[in-house]
PDB file of all heavy atoms in Angstrom:
ATOM      1  N   GLY A  73     251.586 115.357 142.768  1.00 90.00           N
ATOM      2  CA  GLY A  73     252.377 116.120 141.794  1.00 90.00           C
ATOM      3  C   GLY A  73     252.024 117.633 141.850  1.00 90.00           C
ATOM      4  O   GLY A  73     252.928 118.492 141.807  1.00 90.00           O
ATOM      5  N   GLY A  74     250.747 117.906 141.987  1.00 91.00           N
ATOM      6  CA  GLY A  74     250.343 119.311 142.155  1.00 91.00           C
ATOM      7  C   GLY A  74     250.867 119.878 143.449  1.00 91.00           C
ATOM      8  O   GLY A  74     251.322 121.035 143.474  1.00 91.00           O
ATOM      9  N   LEU A  75     250.750 119.105 144.517  1.00 89.00           N
ATOM     10  CA  LEU A  75     251.388 119.600 145.814  1.00 89.00           C
ATOM     11  C   LEU A  75     252.875 119.798 145.687  1.00 89.00           C
ATOM     12  O   LEU A  75     253.461 120.847 146.180  1.00 89.00           O
ATOM     13  CB  LEU A  75     251.097 118.569 146.889  1.00 89.00           C
ATOM     14  CG  LEU A  75     251.273 119.025 148.381  1.00 89.00           C
ATOM     15  CD1 LEU A  75     250.314 120.150 148.676  1.00 89.00           C
ATOM     16  CD2 LEU A  75     250.969 117.884 149.270  1.00 89.00           C
ATOM     17  N   ALA A  76     253.564 118.918 144.987  1.00 88.00           N
ATOM     18  CA  ALA A  76     255.037 119.137 144.825  1.00 88.00           C
ATOM     19  C   ALA A  76     255.391 120.311 143.934  1.00 88.00           C
ATOM     20  O   ALA A  76     256.301 121.103 144.262  1.00 88.00           O
ATOM     21  CB  ALA A  76     255.634 117.862 144.167  1.00 88.00           C
ATOM     22  N   LEU A  77     254.532 120.501 142.939  1.00 89.00           N
ATOM     23  CA  LEU A  77     254.800 121.741 142.070  1.00 89.00           C
ATOM     24  C   LEU A  77     254.557 123.010 142.829  1.00 89.00           C
ATOM     25  O   LEU A  77     255.398 124.013 142.668  1.00 89.00           O
ATOM     26  CB  LEU A  77     253.941 121.632 140.809  1.00 89.00           C
ATOM     27  CG  LEU A  77     254.494 120.612 139.759  1.00 89.00           C
ATOM     28  CD1 LEU A  77     253.389 120.607 138.582  1.00 89.00           C
ATOM     29  CD2 LEU A  77     255.804 120.932 139.271  1.00 89.00           C
ATOM     30  N   GLY A  78     253.537 123.024 143.625  1.00 87.00           N
ATOM     31  CA  GLY A  78     253.274 124.231 144.433  1.00 87.00           C
ATOM     32  C   GLY A  78     254.359 124.500 145.471  1.00 87.00           C
ATOM     33  O   GLY A  78     254.784 125.641 145.692  1.00 87.00           O
ATOM     34  N   LEU A  79     254.828 123.412 146.113  1.00 85.00           N
ATOM     35  CA  LEU A  79     255.918 123.669 147.082  1.00 85.00           C
ATOM     36  C   LEU A  79     257.215 124.004 146.393  1.00 85.00           C
ATOM     37  O   LEU A  79     258.046 124.709 146.937  1.00 85.00           O
ATOM     38  CB  LEU A  79     256.100 122.326 147.887  1.00 85.00           C
ATOM     39  CG  LEU A  79     254.998 122.134 148.970  1.00 85.00           C
ATOM     40  CD1 LEU A  79     255.198 120.785 149.568  1.00 85.00           C
ATOM     41  CD2 LEU A  79     255.029 123.118 149.981  1.00 85.00           C
ATOM     42  N   LEU A  80     257.468 123.540 145.199  1.00 85.00           N
ATOM     43  CA  LEU A  80     258.678 123.848 144.440  1.00 85.00           C
ATOM     44  C   LEU A  80     258.587 125.324 144.032  1.00 85.00           C
ATOM     45  O   LEU A  80     259.577 126.077 144.219  1.00 85.00           O
ATOM     46  CB  LEU A  80     258.767 122.976 143.124  1.00 85.00           C
ATOM     47  CG  LEU A  80     259.935 123.222 142.279  1.00 85.00           C
ATOM     48  CD1 LEU A  80     261.249 122.951 143.050  1.00 85.00           C
ATOM     49  CD2 LEU A  80     259.942 122.434 140.991  1.00 85.00           C
ATOM     50  N   LYS A  81     257.391 125.828 143.676  1.00 86.00           N
ATOM     51  CA  LYS A  81     257.279 127.169 143.351  1.00 86.00           C
ATOM     52  C   LYS A  81     257.531 128.051 144.599  1.00 86.00           C
ATOM     53  O   LYS A  81     258.216 129.151 144.540  1.00 86.00           O
ATOM     54  CB  LYS A  81     255.887 127.484 142.792  1.00 86.00           C
ATOM     55  CG  LYS A  81     255.600 128.940 142.402  1.00 86.00           C
ATOM     56  CD  LYS A  81     254.200 129.006 141.857  1.00 86.00           C
ATOM     57  CE  LYS A  81     253.974 130.510 141.476  1.00 86.00           C
ATOM     58  NZ  LYS A  81     252.557 130.679 141.107  1.00 86.00           N
ATOM     59  N   MET A  82     256.988 127.685 145.770  1.00 84.00           N
ATOM     60  CA  MET A  82     257.244 128.345 146.992  1.00 84.00           C
ATOM     61  C   MET A  82     258.674 128.334 147.439  1.00 84.00           C
ATOM     62  O   MET A  82     259.242 129.153 147.907  1.00 84.00           O
ATOM     63  CB  MET A  82     256.322 127.836 148.086  1.00 84.00           C
ATOM     64  CG  MET A  82     254.959 128.277 147.957  1.00 84.00           C
ATOM     65  SD  MET A  82     253.867 127.426 149.193  1.00 84.00           S
ATOM     66  CE  MET A  82     254.582 127.843 150.717  1.00 84.00           C
ATOM     67  N   GLY A  83     259.291 127.184 147.164  1.00 83.00           N
ATOM     68  CA  GLY A  83     260.757 127.046 147.548  1.00 83.00           C
ATOM     69  C   GLY A  83     261.651 127.822 146.707  1.00 83.00           C
ATOM     70  O   GLY A  83     262.658 128.355 147.245  1.00 83.00           O
ATOM     71  N   LEU A  84     261.347 128.059 145.410  1.00 86.00           N
ATOM     72  CA  LEU A  84     262.118 128.879 144.585  1.00 86.00           C
ATOM     73  C   LEU A  84     261.925 130.348 144.964  1.00 86.00           C
ATOM     74  O   LEU A  84     262.806 131.179 144.688  1.00 86.00           O
ATOM     75  CB  LEU A  84     261.708 128.667 143.039  1.00 86.00           C
ATOM     76  CG  LEU A  84     262.105 127.250 142.519  1.00 86.00           C
ATOM     77  CD1 LEU A  84     261.603 127.161 141.088  1.00 86.00           C
ATOM     78  CD2 LEU A  84     263.646 127.052 142.532  1.00 86.00           C
ATOM     79  N   ALA A  85     260.832 130.655 145.595  1.00 85.00           N
ATOM     80  CA  ALA A  85     260.612 132.098 146.073  1.00 85.00           C
ATOM     81  C   ALA A  85     261.447 132.365 147.348  1.00 85.00           C
ATOM     82  O   ALA A  85     261.567 133.519 147.683  1.00 85.00           O
ATOM     83  CB  ALA A  85     259.121 132.299 146.367  1.00 85.00           C
ATOM     84  N   GLY A  86     261.996 131.273 147.946  1.00 80.00           N
ATOM     85  CA  GLY A  86     262.966 131.524 149.078  1.00 80.00           C
ATOM     86  C   GLY A  86     262.526 130.971 150.387  1.00 80.00           C
ATOM     87  O   GLY A  86     263.089 131.334 151.354  1.00 80.00           O
ATOM     88  N   SER A  87     261.560 130.187 150.433  1.00 79.00           N
ATOM     89  CA  SER A  87     261.072 129.643 151.673  1.00 79.00           C
ATOM     90  C   SER A  87     261.750 128.306 151.999  1.00 79.00           C
ATOM     91  O   SER A  87     261.700 127.390 151.267  1.00 79.00           O
ATOM     92  CB  SER A  87     259.582 129.427 151.699  1.00 79.00           C
ATOM     93  OG  SER A  87     259.109 128.788 152.845  1.00 79.00           O
ATOM     94  N   SER A  90     259.506 125.294 152.755  1.00 82.00           N
ATOM     95  CA  SER A  90     258.947 124.729 151.524  1.00 82.00           C
ATOM     96  C   SER A  90     259.877 123.643 150.975  1.00 82.00           C
ATOM     97  O   SER A  90     259.396 122.598 150.481  1.00 82.00           O
ATOM     98  CB  SER A  90     258.684 125.776 150.466  1.00 82.00           C
ATOM     99  OG  SER A  90     257.803 126.746 150.935  1.00 82.00           O
ATOM    100  N   TRP A  91     261.121 123.858 151.174  1.00 84.00           N
ATOM    101  CA  TRP A  91     262.070 122.855 150.686  1.00 84.00           C
ATOM    102  C   TRP A  91     262.000 121.531 151.483  1.00 84.00           C
ATOM    103  O   TRP A  91     262.073 120.460 151.010  1.00 84.00           O
ATOM    104  CB  TRP A  91     263.549 123.298 150.677  1.00 84.00           C
ATOM    105  CG  TRP A  91     263.754 124.319 149.608  1.00 84.00           C
ATOM    106  CD1 TRP A  91     263.858 125.650 149.689  1.00 84.00           C
ATOM    107  CD2 TRP A  91     263.906 124.006 148.214  1.00 84.00           C
ATOM    108  NE1 TRP A  91     264.104 126.273 148.474  1.00 84.00           N
ATOM    109  CE2 TRP A  91     264.084 125.232 147.529  1.00 84.00           C
ATOM    110  CE3 TRP A  91     263.855 122.867 147.457  1.00 84.00           C
ATOM    111  CZ2 TRP A  91     264.331 125.294 146.183  1.00 84.00           C
ATOM    112  CZ3 TRP A  91     264.085 122.933 146.113  1.00 84.00           C
ATOM    113  CH2 TRP A  91     264.212 124.132 145.488  1.00 84.00           C
ATOM    114  N   LEU A  94     258.834 119.926 150.522  1.00 84.00           N
ATOM    115  CA  LEU A  94     259.014 119.317 149.185  1.00 84.00           C
ATOM    116  C   LEU A  94     259.662 117.936 149.312  1.00 84.00           C
ATOM    117  O   LEU A  94     259.211 116.981 148.591  1.00 84.00           O
ATOM    118  CB  LEU A  94     259.789 120.248 148.326  1.00 84.00           C
ATOM    119  CG  LEU A  94     260.048 119.797 146.856  1.00 84.00           C
ATOM    120  CD1 LEU A  94     258.726 119.694 146.125  1.00 84.00           C
ATOM    121  CD2 LEU A  94     260.993 120.739 146.138  1.00 84.00           C
TER     122      LEU A  94
END
Side-chain angles (χ1 to χ4, degrees):
L75 196 60
L77 286 176
L79 287 172
L80 180 64
K81 183 179 176 184
M82 287 174 55
L84 291 176
S87 176
S90 299
W91 287 106
L94 180 65

